[in-house]
Amino acid sequence: MKTEILNRKGYYGEFGGAYIPEILYNNVHELESYFLDILSSPDFKIEYDHLLKEYVGRPTPLYHAKNLSEKYKATILLKREDLNHTGAHKINNAVGQALLAKRLGKKRIIAETGAGQHGVATATVCALMNLDCVVYMGQTDIERQAPNVSRMKMLGAKVIPVHSGSRSLKDATNEAIRDWMNNTEDSYYLIGSVVGPHPYPDLVARLQAVISEEIKHQLKEKFNRSSPDYVIACIGGGSNAAGAFYHFIDDAKVKLIGVEAAGKGIHSGLTAATLAIGKPGIIHGCKTYLIQNADGQITEPHSISAGLDYPGIGPLHANLFKTQRAQYLSATDEEALEAAMELTRREGIIPALESAHALAALQQLQFRKEDIVVVNLSGRGDKDLNTYINHLNY
């Protein structure tokens, strides 16, 4: 990404910044002061690249989905982040931030998780790097993502259930921040998405940018071109979309499509489609769009997908939405389930419910026969098996 859309104070246009309590100022300032130097240092790059290749399993394939291509009359390519170790794109960021935390001298990692993918990725790298790990997770998400809870515990993480609010990702994030405020000396808050106070949105986007970097190289190898016509990705906080978009933001010919979770319908009162109905406000340390009532109170989101069940969105996406550089669609719970079954039956791949929202956009767009369309398959569907069984009566 060459465009300097992030200014020195951490704002993407009018969105972003660092709205933090005074007790966290030193921690955030320390991270802001050192993260770019650490990420660009030769020893970090060697260790990070080695782990991505030998431990995570990168590069992930850019798979030509011929059966989907035949239906939608375009070349549909799936960026297979579901084939990463731990089953999702989250591990790219977790590896990078854990290496960063060690270089900052931190011994204890705090994280929050919704679908459990970020929690599992964080627990995994903590086991690998001998770091203490505490993961906050809403009780509702614990119940619907039980396999991931077990995996985190097997990996040695302490999973703390959160019973406040809607008992989902927003509330888990609140508790993680409270923990950080009480343990500023030895703890590092490993945020899983492009949200939170500056520099986290920038840091996470840079670590996930490996996705679009690989897409460019793979397109060159397969089609002798370095950019697609479309990149489509689901949006909760927006980390997988930020990674898939990153190296194409300056290329106006590439249509960037984010897909929010409409839940029961955008205007049903049970939705997580932040950009569709949200207004600017402050959440978890940054200014962005968030779902709120007339008094500015956050409205509880709803999605069948735990990873998209968040009332805000990353400030990068807020800016891309306002400047109309990217287009943001939405898919309901039922549309996501239908898209998941279509991929399962046509390509033999069971996607995560988050990724199914991105796949649902294929039915909303009109393609030309020569178009190359990349869909970021951010995670695999094993973790959602109970939800699939309950809703599809298998």
Side-chain angles (χ1 to χ4, degrees):
M1 185 170 62
K2 297 177 182 176
T3 299
E4 297 297 335
I5 62 173
L6 178 66
N7 70 24
R8 291 183 178 180
K9 294 184 178 179
Y11 283 86
Y12 300 89
E14 66 180 272
F15 304 104
Y19 298 81
I20 53 174
E22 186 174 350
I23 195 171
L24 292 179
Y25 177 82
N26 287 338
N27 294 65
V28 173
H29 181 65
E30 178 188 42
L31 183 61
E32 182 183 5
S33 298
Y34 294 111
F35 87 100
L36 285 176
D37 288 340
I38 292 175
L39 261 59
S40 61
S41 65
D43 69 310
F44 177 92
K45 289 174 65 68
I46 290 171
E47 189 170 9
Y48 182 56
D49 291 346
H50 173 76
L51 286 173
L52 288 188
K53 180 180 179 182
E54 303 292 339
Y55 188 71
V56 174
R58 304 204 70 90
T60 56
L62 186 64
Y63 172 71
H64 184 189
K66 293 181 179 177
N67 296 323
L68 283 185
S69 299
E70 182 177 349
K71 176 178 179 181
Y72 291 105
K73 311 300 182 189
T75 299
I76 308 296
L77 305 173
L78 303 177
K79 184 57 174 165
R80 297 292 307 275
E81 292 300 295
D82 59 315
L83 296 181
N84 282 331
H85 178 42
T86 70
H89 72 291
K90 294 291 188 181
I91 191 75
N92 306 324
N93 169 59
V95 168
Q97 286 203 57
L99 291 175
L100 179 60
K102 290 189 69 171
R103 282 161 172 76
L104 292 174
K106 306 298 183 181
K107 306 293 187 185
R108 179 175 181 267
I109 300 296
I110 307 162
E112 85 299 322
T113 194
Q117 292 171 316
H118 173 58
V120 169
T122 302
T124 297
V125 297
C126 286
L128 176 69
M129 301 183 194
N130 193 27
L131 294 165
D132 291 337
C133 182
V134 177
V135 180
Y136 289 87
M137 191 171 189
Q139 181 61 38
T140 299
D141 292 337
I142 285 177
E143 292 166 4
R144 58 181 172 176
Q145 302 290 343
N148 274 344
V149 176
S150 297
R151 293 167 73 192
M152 284 184 271
K153 291 180 177 178
M154 286 180 66
L155 289 159
K158 182 179 182 181
V159 181
I160 299 180
V162 176
H163 299 280
S164 58
S166 62
R167 306 188 303 171
S168 61
L169 180 56
K170 169 180 70 67
D171 312 295
T173 305
N174 290 342
E175 292 304 319
I177 292 174
R178 288 191 184 97
D179 184 317
W180 196 24
M181 291 171 63
N182 290 322
N183 298 281
T184 56
E185 289 297 320
D186 67 337
S187 298
Y188 178 90
Y189 183 17
L190 203 160
I191 292 181
S193 193
V194 285
V195 299
H198 176 68
Y200 279 106
D202 185 32
L203 169 60
V204 178
R206 288 172 184 271
L207 293 172
Q208 292 292 0
V210 65
I211 299 171
S212 50
E213 184 178 14
E214 287 180 6
I215 292 172
K216 288 178 73 72
H217 291 306
Q218 291 166 325
L219 285 174
K220 191 69 176 177
E221 291 176 356
K222 293 174 182 285
F223 300 96
N224 195 30
R225 54 188 287 186
S226 58
S227 60
D229 296 287
Y230 290 83
V231 180
I232 303 174
C234 65
I235 301 280
S239 66
N240 90 91
F245 292 175
Y246 197 86
H247 287 284
F248 303 115
I249 290 175
D250 286 331
D251 187 346
K253 297 189 298 297
V254 182
K255 299 177 181 64
L256 307 177
I257 309 292
V259 186
E260 298 188 297
K264 300 297 184 184
I266 288 176
H267 301 293
S268 67
L270 293 171
T271 183
T274 304
L275 290 172
I277 64 169
K279 296 179 293 185
I282 307 296
I283 184 171
H284 297 144
C286 75
K287 180 182 179 183
T288 187
Y289 285 94
L290 65 148
I291 303 174
Q292 53 191 301
N293 64 22
D295 296 324
Q297 297 298 311
I298 294 173
T299 303
E300 299 294 348
H302 165 82
S303 171
I304 194 172
S305 166
L308 304 183
D309 198 355
Y310 186 66
I313 199 158
L316 167 62
H317 293 294
N319 181 257
L320 295 177
F321 170 73
K322 184 156 187 178
T323 60
Q324 300 184 354
R325 172 62 189 95
Q327 181 183 5
Y328 292 88
L329 307 175
S330 63
T332 65
D333 293 346
E334 293 303 316
E335 289 168 338
L337 287 168
E338 182 181 339
M341 284 308 301
E342 179 174 75
L343 185 71
T344 301
R345 292 292 172 84
R346 287 182 180 270
E347 299 289 349
I349 299 170
I350 302 175
L353 273 165
E354 289 82 358
S355 310
H357 287 73
L359 293 161
L362 295 174
Q363 299 188 26
Q364 302 179 35
L365 298 165
Q366 294 295 320
F367 303 115
R368 301 171 303 169
K369 185 178 179 181
E370 64 270 26
D371 281 342
I372 292 181
V373 180
V374 175
V375 181
N376 197 37
L377 203 65
S378 57
R380 69 183 184 219
D382 310 39
K383 68 180 182 59
D384 294 313
L385 198 56
N386 285 339
T387 305
Y388 283 133
I389 291 171
N390 291 336
H391 284 79
L392 300 172
N393 298 318
Y394 288 111

